[in-house]
Structures are given as C-alpha cells and as structure tokens.
Amino acid sequence: MKGIDFVIFTGDNIDVANRDELRVFFRTIRGLHKKYYMIVGDHDVFRYEQFGKKEYMRTVWLYHPQMLFKGTNYVFKPSKDIVVIVVDGANELFLSPSGYFKQETLEWLDKQLYKYKNKKVIIAQHFPLIPPAKKYSHNTVDVDKYFDILHNHENVIAVISGHFHTA
C-alpha cells in the first residue's frame, strides 16, 4: 500500500505467549519497510509461561534492535502536530480477556496528556474502553478511572484499539 507512514500492531501479535511465536511474527513482518510500533495484548504475555513483559521486550529488541520504544507504555511523534501515546492494559499475571490499566499507568497517561496539551493526541492500546456489543465478555476493568482522565483533557482526538477479533 502506498501513502503509509507507519504501522501500529494493536496487540495479540502472537496467539500463545512464547519466544518462538514472536520469532515467527517478526519473520512474517520482515518485508514491511515502514516504521512500526507494537502494543502488548493479552495473548502476547503470560508470566506463568515464563514469557512476561520483560521477556517479551527482550525478544522484541533481539529481533528488532533499532526498535524505538523501550517499554510497553511509550510515546512517539509521527508529525510535529500529532503525538501517539501507547498505553499497556495487559495483565501478565493471569490470562484474562479483560483489560486492566494499573493506577501507575493511568497516572503516566495523565502526565503525558498534560505534557502534550498543545498537540493532537491519539491513544493506541490493545483493550477498548467500550465493547463493540452490550453482551461481550472482553470488558476493561475500572474504565471510569480512565474516562475521568480523558475528560480532563481536550487534546485527545482518537483512541484506537484491537482485541475483539471482529474485523
């Protein structure tokens, strides 16, 4: 496709949390000659299988050492007017289809929104704040805390997410 500046993988980049599957993911996308950014999803990390967020990131850096982000919450700037804030809501301690944004993550998000208050902000995350249907089990826990933060900032123009496997 022409006219693409970058790609965001919105999580569940692999089906089962392990290094071999992530290696296959990187082999699959190696022909992508664009900047890309990755979000951690609920299928990507699971500490019980010895593939938590630290091991996931070590593997990412192993196969893509020039990766621009250093953690699972990060910011990138695709233009001088737009900032993308990537927010991690994956729980590595137990498998769950529900998103959970830790208090420290929400505080970090709030600080970033203040920091970039004069920019248009796109938030990218794996877990949606609003499910696509009323009867859906993939809800985000304590979503009201997240919405409280969003209501305090006027610079968020979009929140993009994945997770539902509906498209």
Side-chain angles (χ1 to χ4, degrees):
M1 296 175 68
K2 294 180 181 181
I4 295 175
D5 295 322
F6 61 91
V7 174
I8 301 175
F9 293 101
T10 59
D12 288 352
N13 303 311
I14 56 180
D15 188 43
V16 178
N18 66 59
R19 181 180 287 216
D20 292 335
E21 287 218 11
L22 193 52
R23 196 176 298 141
V24 170
F25 171 77
F26 279 111
R27 272 199 309 260
T28 303
I29 67 168
R30 74 175 158 217
L32 181 65
H33 301 292
K34 299 289 179 188
K35 289 181 187 174
Y36 64 87
Y37 303 89
M38 297 170 62
I39 300 171
V40 176
D42 54 310
H43 287 257
D44 298 320
V45 293
F46 187 33
R47 260 185 15 205
Y48 179 76
E49 297 290 336
Q50 285 76 46
F51 205 71
K53 292 178 185 180
K54 287 182 182 177
E55 183 62 28
Y56 181 88
M57 291 308 298
R58 276 191 214 111
T59 305
V60 166
W61 295 322
L62 178 68
Y63 289 97
H64 192 52
Q66 65 272 28
M67 186 59 65
L68 302 173
F69 55 91
K70 298 297 180 197
T72 55
N73 291 309
Y74 59 95
V75 174
F76 68 94
K77 301 169 191 165
S79 75
K80 66 178 184 162
D81 300 322
I82 296 177
V83 171
V84 178
I85 301 174
V86 175
V87 185
D88 175 12
N91 188 335
E92 66 184 345
L93 298 177
F94 58 89
L95 292 175
S96 173
S98 297
Y100 175 71
F101 297 94
K102 294 179 183 178
Q103 184 63 34
E104 63 193 49
T105 299
L106 294 175
E107 290 169 4
W108 175 85
L109 172 62
D110 193 42
K111 286 178 185 174
Q112 299 309 308
L113 290 171
Y114 276 117
K115 180 178 179 178
Y116 297 108
K117 65 184 176 189
N118 296 322
K119 305 283 184 189
K120 294 177 184 175
V121 173
I122 298 170
I123 298 174
Q125 58 197 36
H126 179 65
F127 296 96
L129 301 175
I130 302 170
K134 287 186 179 190
K135 293 184 178 182
Y136 214 90
S137 65
H138 292 51
N139 296 321
T140 298
V141 178
D142 291 335
V143 73
D144 291 340
K145 292 178 184 178
Y146 199 118
F147 279 118
D148 287 345
I149 291 169
L150 291 180
H151 287 119
N152 289 328
H153 301 278
E154 296 180 8
N155 53 338
V156 178
I157 60 171
V159 178
I160 62 169
S161 59
H163 188 51
F164 286 107
H165 310 261
T166 58

